[in-house]
Amino acid sequence: MKAARPAKRAVRRDAEADLFSRRRVVDEAFLERTARLFEARMGRSLSTEDARQIVDNIGGFFRILAEWERIDRGK
């Protein structure tokens, strides 16, 4: 009986993939600036958690755009 070979994992390690896949640590000063920026536009006060969600959502938006660009370049 033949021993089962471990499955190979496909790991993509290029600089562009790493640039958009890593989660960044966001400091409090950045969150405060984000909150002030969006408070002026929304007309209400925002918490640090609101600012953190804004940063995460904008980051996710740009990660999707980068992924679409990679897909388009591959065609």
Side-chain angles (χ1 to χ4, degrees), residues 15-67:
E16 189 175 82
D18 287 346
L19 176 65
F20 295 105
S21 65
R22 274 187 262 149
R23 292 196 49 92
R24 304 284 194 281
V25 175
V26 179
D27 65 359
E28 291 298 315
F30 183 74
L31 292 176
E32 289 172 14
R33 289 192 310 272
T34 301
R36 282 196 313 266
L37 175 73
F38 280 87
E39 283 172 351
R41 284 155 177 75
M42 296 177 72
R44 67 178 183 91
S45 63
L46 297 173
S47 69
T48 302
E49 182 56 30
D50 292 332
R52 189 178 314 279
Q53 288 179 11
I54 290 168
V55 169
D56 285 346
N57 289 339
I58 291 172
F61 173 74
F62 282 102
R63 279 190 295 279
I64 289 169
L65 290 180
E67 179 63 24

